[in-house]
Amino acid sequence: MTATATRPPDAAPPATGGKRAAKRERQGAAWVFLSPWVLGAAVLTLLPMAVSLYLSFTDYDMFDAPRWIGFRNYTQMFTEDPRYWRSVITTLTYVVIAVPLQLLLALAVAIALKSVKRGKGFYRSAFYAPSLLGASMSIALVWRAIFNDGGSVDNLLSGMGIDIGGWINKPGWAILSVALLTIWQFGAPMVIFLAGLQQIPAELYEAAAVDGASWWRQFRSITIPMLSPVLFFNLVLQMIQAFQVFTPAFAVSAGKGGPADSTLVYTLYLYDRGFTASHMGYASAMAWALLLAIGVVTAVLFRTSRAWVFYANDNNEGAR
Amino acid sequence: MTTAPITTAPAARRRPTGRIVLHICLIAMLLVMLYPLAWLLATSFKPADEVIASLKLLPSHFEWGNYSTALDGVNEVSVGRLLWNSLLIACGAVLGNVISCSLAAYAFARLRFRMRGPLFAFMIATIMLPHHAILIPQYIIFNQLGMVNTYWPMILPKFLATDAFFVFLIVQFMRGLPRELEEAARIDGCGPFRSFFSVILPLTRPALITTAIFTFIWTWNDFFTQLIYLFEPEKFTLTLALRSFVDASSQSAFGPMFAMSVFALLPIVLFFLAFQRFLVEGMASSGLKG
């Protein structure tokens, strides 16, 4: 990003008149190509962001004009609404369980697949499939059924002498079933890990082997540093996605976030406040708090990444 | 994962027993992962009294009635209609994303213009923007335009390249094409528009196909947007119709509900089987370079 951003736009060598005209034409052309995006970014991204910030300071129900109430929504959220904190804690619990386990599984399977010769393509696709299917309502409903009281998971566990009962009826367990659905979709980060692993030069491992480095040592000193940019990319992306989980929590709790608000994830509560209870101002405040939280988490990740993300060659034009 | 502490890693991997153990582990894992899908398919054929009863996948007899009940649809809207609605939204979104994202990507990847750096950075940042931060004003805008309970809120944003992920994906791909192509085209008298349509766009086909398939699947699966914008059962999509089962899920409706779920998953499975190469490679390339 810095490479692109700091390039002075007019740094090209002084051009003759003809070249300059051609350059102007290219400039104009660029804006034509960019026009749908510019319109979308202005009208459907920037403007809504500003409006939602404004609405977060108002009382608004979609019918009457918004009424300015200052920080009232925010103070209510942070100090008078136990369900809000409930949703924050539920979401954090889910993120902290689902994201690390999902990435760990993705990394382990990617490393295993790297050394597979026969059937690699098959495994790669088969493990990836749940990442596409898992986002659907259909699979969320399957989850609800197999984690229900008397469902497959309950049957299997009680057969092994572990008596939990239906996960989705038990506060504390219900959100775990949602987390498991996310972990089940480890295929997408796995594919990215695998592609990253294949770009690590084999000479590094050969040299390390000659020096007598153990498997673990090679893993720690070659694989992890060389893979760290990809690891970082996966971590940021999966984290941001996890903060916005909605469909499985909706399905598991029939849209209500139960039992005892234990699956009331942040976005489900936001939906409830904004679209069921018609408190659009309050929901906007929640949306802005989420935006800031994701911004802070991402910034912290970027900050700490300097310590552990290793870029082997910084010569190509950076995109991020 | 075999841990061979002393021997070199490649040699250890070539040992046949280690390889067989690895394959057995992977296949065992796959079987566990595929269980929910097998369960879904099996349950869609089960008579009502066998749905929850056991771990067994195979029903005692195949209950085709579940499918005929599912075909009747929900709230007096047939499955055919729901399917058509889903297709309409998904195809509109595909068309929009392919056109608008490739246009924007070409400008970012191949053209020089003022503000390119900051705008590109902004575009990347919107990938991370939570949808909910813009959700409510977008809803208000579409409401003012009289577009709530129509398909426009699902389709129109796609024509304005709001899915920055795909712009980024296509940019990554276009950057890999050799510069000489356009220089040659320019010498032959092609302006930026000709080089885009005649030179770059045909070569970008793999990235465009990836964009199209991902857009189709994600739009097809999308629940949240449809939940907010559509309220008339006539306009429901398959995904949204499944919601009615969520609210009232008596055991007897289980078979038809999962028969309907099979309908909703089928296009994704077919797309996946047909285009897995584009999907897997598209996903892989999104995380690399840059």
Side-chain angles (χ1 to χ4, degrees), chain A residues 106 153 176 296 303:
Chain A
V153 172
L176 277 184
V296 167
R303 264 291 152 107

PDB file of all heavy atoms in Angstrom, chain A residues 106 153 176 296 303:
ATOM      1  N   ALA A 106      -7.022 -25.685   9.767  1.00  0.00           N
ATOM      2  CA  ALA A 106      -6.698 -25.371   8.378  1.00  0.00           C
ATOM      3  C   ALA A 106      -5.201 -25.537   8.128  1.00  0.00           C
ATOM      4  O   ALA A 106      -4.789 -26.129   7.129  1.00  0.00           O
ATOM      5  CB  ALA A 106      -7.134 -23.944   8.044  1.00  0.00           C
ATOM      6  N   VAL A 153     -25.632 -36.010  17.435  1.00  0.00           N
ATOM      7  CA  VAL A 153     -24.502 -35.719  18.319  1.00  0.00           C
ATOM      8  C   VAL A 153     -24.824 -36.144  19.742  1.00  0.00           C
ATOM      9  O   VAL A 153     -24.009 -36.788  20.429  1.00  0.00           O
ATOM     10  CB  VAL A 153     -24.150 -34.210  18.273  1.00  0.00           C
ATOM     11  CG1 VAL A 153     -23.107 -33.874  19.321  1.00  0.00           C
ATOM     12  CG2 VAL A 153     -23.664 -33.836  16.898  1.00  0.00           C
ATOM     13  N   LEU A 176     -21.483 -23.086  21.295  1.00  0.00           N
ATOM     14  CA  LEU A 176     -20.421 -24.002  20.855  1.00  0.00           C
ATOM     15  C   LEU A 176     -20.805 -24.711  19.564  1.00  0.00           C
ATOM     16  O   LEU A 176     -19.959 -24.960  18.704  1.00  0.00           O
ATOM     17  CB  LEU A 176     -20.143 -25.049  21.940  1.00  0.00           C
ATOM     18  CG  LEU A 176     -19.217 -24.632  23.059  1.00  0.00           C
ATOM     19  CD1 LEU A 176     -18.975 -25.821  23.978  1.00  0.00           C
ATOM     20  CD2 LEU A 176     -17.896 -24.151  22.490  1.00  0.00           C
ATOM     21  N   VAL A 296     -10.428  -1.410  15.699  1.00  0.00           N
ATOM     22  CA  VAL A 296      -9.405  -1.500  16.743  1.00  0.00           C
ATOM     23  C   VAL A 296      -8.707  -2.860  16.689  1.00  0.00           C
ATOM     24  O   VAL A 296      -7.474  -2.943  16.720  1.00  0.00           O
ATOM     25  CB  VAL A 296     -10.030  -1.259  18.137  1.00  0.00           C
ATOM     26  CG1 VAL A 296      -9.064  -1.663  19.243  1.00  0.00           C
ATOM     27  CG2 VAL A 296     -10.426   0.201  18.283  1.00  0.00           C
ATOM     28  N   ARG A 303      -0.526  -3.832  14.044  1.00  0.00           N
ATOM     29  CA  ARG A 303       0.568  -3.397  14.905  1.00  0.00           C
ATOM     30  C   ARG A 303       1.459  -4.563  15.332  1.00  0.00           C
ATOM     31  O   ARG A 303       2.663  -4.554  15.140  1.00  0.00           O
ATOM     32  CB  ARG A 303      -0.006  -2.744  16.173  1.00  0.00           C
ATOM     33  CG  ARG A 303      -0.100  -1.258  16.107  1.00  0.00           C
ATOM     34  CD  ARG A 303       1.269  -0.662  16.119  1.00  0.00           C
ATOM     35  NE  ARG A 303       1.280   0.611  15.421  1.00  0.00           N
ATOM     36  CZ  ARG A 303       1.378   1.778  16.028  1.00  0.00           C
ATOM     37  NH1 ARG A 303       1.518   1.837  17.313  1.00  0.00           N
ATOM     38  NH2 ARG A 303       1.365   2.882  15.322  1.00  0.00           N
TER      39      ARG A 303
END
